[in-house]
Amino acid sequence: MSIRKTATSGIALALAGSLALTACGSGGDDGGDDGNVTLNFTWWGSDERSERYEAAIDLFEEANPGITVQTSFAEFQDYWTQRSTDATSGELPDVLQMDVSRLLEYSNNGLLYDLTEFEGNGIDTSTIDEGLLESGRTNEQLAAIPTGSNTLALMVNPDLVEELGVELPDWDYTWEEYQDFVVAASEAGADRDPQVYGGGDYTMTWWFFMQYLVQQGVEPFSETGEMNFTEDDMRDFISSADPVREAAGGDAFFPLERGEQLLPKGGFTSGEAPVEFHWDNFISGYSNDLGSDNIQLMPMPTGADGQKHMFFKPTMQLAMGANTAHPEEAAALIDFLINDPEAGQIIGTDLGVPSSQTRLEALEVEEGGLDQRVIEYEQRVRDEGYATATVPFQPEGFGALETEYVEVLSQEFQYGQISVDEFVERWFSEASNLLVTS
């Protein structure tokens, strides 16, 4: 059974289970005679993110001596499998990191605490851009608070590019120019030990398909959850990278087998690929894994109409389990992580460019440092007019659709076990079961 099927079946059972067990509270301590409170807080992310969170939580506990925060974290897919189990038992953490792609799934099942009562009264939302804050509203409730904003970017290792003797395209590069770079870098790195490849197969990443659709003038999903794209759209996107797959003796994209050998690192963070597409806020984790802060950011390639049609999205969100026995204390933790300047100095841009304008203005960044790079990158994307689209709507089931695309079919495709047609046919077949429409 795939991770995707386990997760979705767990959420399907969660509503009844959570309602029955709400009175039990979360896994946190319910206080006791000494009046102390223990909160459970969990997130996904790298070891570096964990270190930042832990340092910020130390400050929170110092400022709130009656509250202890128990923490845990996991890799993205494992995180959601664990949350599915929590939801089924009615034991979601008091505070949990939430992703907009899963928000409707959890909110529609009554699993998240309505934060409306704390808005401006325990959680200061006054300095958060209203458009960003709206990303956490659903079913006339405030289900989550955004930590920051991010946008897609091309991570570049300039040192490795120079070693390979290849030339990066400029900021207005096209997808074809990007493909030419990947092929040239793979050819230049073919004799190195370990071998260097130009980059990974970007068509196997769900969000790059979303970006492709937006560049084609397609809004991927309607607000009622229907797909606005066809099998041909997905087939065309995957097939668009055939020139790279067929170049350099069929050895231009970073091989999946090598990627699995390098886990938990990847090709880029192991210094075996000079570029990689990702969300811009990942630069800190990438720098830590690579052991170098010489990483630069470039925008996404330009679409067929000469525009990039990039978009900003909430990096991630903080939410509360509906079953929490300590909503006031949990709200205080969320407010601290979102708004406190000292916590912000520790977290930097790892959770995105801060959603709180006050905290962003208070952030002291090192000249030329990683945080400054992310902030300046997002500003340049705005100034250059690259961000002309809104983040695609993510209906209930969006996260499961992404898992099917990335965790199941992409692996079979990259191992040569299925064709493009089989990939597309199977994904659309699964989508009919996973997508929730209204």
Side-chain angles (χ1 to χ4, degrees):
M1 180 176 289
S2 70
I3 292 174
R4 181 259 313 153
K5 291 181 179 176
T6 301
T8 54
S9 62
I11 291 298
L13 294 171
L15 179 57
S18 66
L19 292 177
L21 295 170
T22 295
C24 298
S26 74
D29 192 303
D30 63 359
D33 294 336
D34 60 5
N36 291 329
V37 167
T38 298
L39 298 175
N40 287 328
F41 173 40
T42 189
W43 62 87
W44 71 84
S46 65
D47 289 340
E48 183 183 355
R49 176 171 298 165
S50 176
E51 292 171 2
R52 290 172 184 260
Y53 262 140
E54 294 287 2
I57 288 167
D58 285 345
L59 287 180
F60 175 77
E61 290 178 332
E62 288 176 13
N64 299 272
I67 305 176
T68 300
V69 183
Q70 294 181 342
T71 63
S72 62
F73 73 103
E75 182 273 332
F76 187 78
Q77 292 299 339
D78 291 340
Y79 176 88
W80 291 112
T81 302
Q82 293 168 10
R83 299 295 75 74
S84 177
T85 301
D86 294 341
T88 304
S89 64
E91 291 290 323
L92 280 171
D94 299 283
V95 178
L96 64 153
Q97 204 168 258
M98 176 55 59
D99 189 81
V100 70
S101 67
R102 309 278 177 151
L103 185 63
L104 286 178
E105 181 181 355
Y106 279 74
S107 178
N108 287 349
N109 280 313
L111 298 170
L112 301 180
Y113 195 99
D114 183 5
L115 300 174
T116 303
E117 67 180 272
F118 297 111
E119 190 173 359
N121 182 33
I123 301 178
D124 183 7
T125 59
S126 63
T127 65
I128 299 177
D129 176 77
E130 186 57 35
L132 197 60
L133 188 62
E134 282 296 314
S135 68
R137 297 190 194 277
T138 176
N139 300 321
E140 299 182 350
Q141 296 181 350
L142 181 61
I145 307 292
T147 62
S149 65
N150 66 2
T151 190
L152 292 169
L154 181 67
M155 304 277 182
V156 179
N157 180 342
D159 295 331
L160 185 53
V161 171
E162 183 177 358
E163 288 177 22
L164 293 172
V166 293
E167 185 174 348
L168 275 172
D170 61 30
W171 269 57
D172 291 324
Y173 69 118
T174 64
W175 285 103
E176 291 75 16
E177 289 171 330
Y178 175 72
Q179 291 178 348
D180 290 344
F181 169 81
V182 170
V183 172
S186 293
E187 291 175 343
D191 295 330
R192 293 171 63 102
D193 186 19
Q195 186 172 347
V196 171
Y197 301 84
D201 188 344
Y202 57 87
T203 68
M204 293 293 101
T205 298
W206 173 248
W207 272 103
F208 303 146
F209 177 48
M210 295 295 99
Q211 177 70 86
Y212 168 82
L213 290 174
V214 170
Q215 289 185 341
Q216 302 303 307
V218 176
E219 179 62 34
F221 297 94
S222 72
E223 292 190 359
T224 53
E226 287 86 2
M227 286 185 293
N228 293 327
F229 57 93
T230 67
E231 292 188 13
D232 282 342
D233 289 322
M234 185 176 289
R235 188 178 295 108
D236 290 346
F237 173 63
I238 297 173
S239 298
S240 68
D242 282 348
V244 182
R245 297 189 187 101
E246 296 164 2
D251 206 19
F253 276 140
F254 199 91
L256 185 61
E257 305 95 301
R258 179 58 178 163
E260 291 179 342
Q261 292 171 0
L262 294 173
L263 289 173
K265 292 187 177 182
F268 182 85
T269 51
S270 297
E272 296 182 18
V275 296
E276 182 170 302
F277 290 116
H278 216 309
W279 300 105
D280 57 15
N281 64 294
F282 274 73
I283 191 172
S284 294
Y286 272 31
S287 172
N288 184 68
D289 288 346
L290 184 62
S292 169
D293 63 0
N294 191 17
I295 299 177
Q296 302 300 324
L297 299 171
M298 290 181 61
M300 296 299 289
T302 301
D305 66 352
Q307 301 296 319
K308 294 189 181 294
H309 297 293
M310 294 173 63
F311 48 82
F312 289 94
K313 66 177 277 291
T315 314
M316 53 203 65
Q317 302 159 315
L318 294 178
M320 288 162 46
N323 51 273
T324 181
H326 308 293
E328 290 82 8
E329 291 84 357
L333 176 57
I334 291 176
D335 180 70
F336 186 86
L337 294 172
I338 294 291
N339 290 307
D340 186 81
E342 287 187 81
Q345 195 62 41
I346 293 170
I347 293 171
T349 60
D350 188 70
L351 303 181
V353 173
S355 58
S356 168
Q357 187 64 31
T358 300
R359 203 180 88 179
L360 175 59
E361 292 173 355
L363 185 62
E364 298 178 3
V365 296
E366 178 185 352
E367 184 67 29
L370 299 174
D371 289 334
Q372 185 183 65
R373 262 172 258 174
V374 175
I375 294 170
E376 291 185 348
Y377 169 71
E378 291 198 5
Q379 190 59 50
R380 183 172 178 183
V381 166
R382 289 186 174 92
D383 292 344
E384 298 281 353
Y386 293 154
T388 58
T390 57
V391 59
F393 177 70
Q394 293 147 75
E396 185 175 351
F398 186 94
L401 296 175
E402 179 179 13
T403 298
E404 180 69 22
Y405 192 102
V406 175
E407 296 293 320
V408 181
L409 296 176
S410 72
Q411 295 191 29
E412 294 183 38
F413 178 78
Q414 290 179 84
Y415 275 122
Q417 297 168 349
I418 57 175
S419 65
V420 173
D421 288 338
E422 290 170 322
F423 183 113
V424 173
E425 181 180 348
R426 282 178 52 186
W427 187 90
F428 271 80
S429 177
E430 291 291 343
S432 65
N433 297 321
L434 298 173
L435 190 62
V436 178
T437 58
S438 59

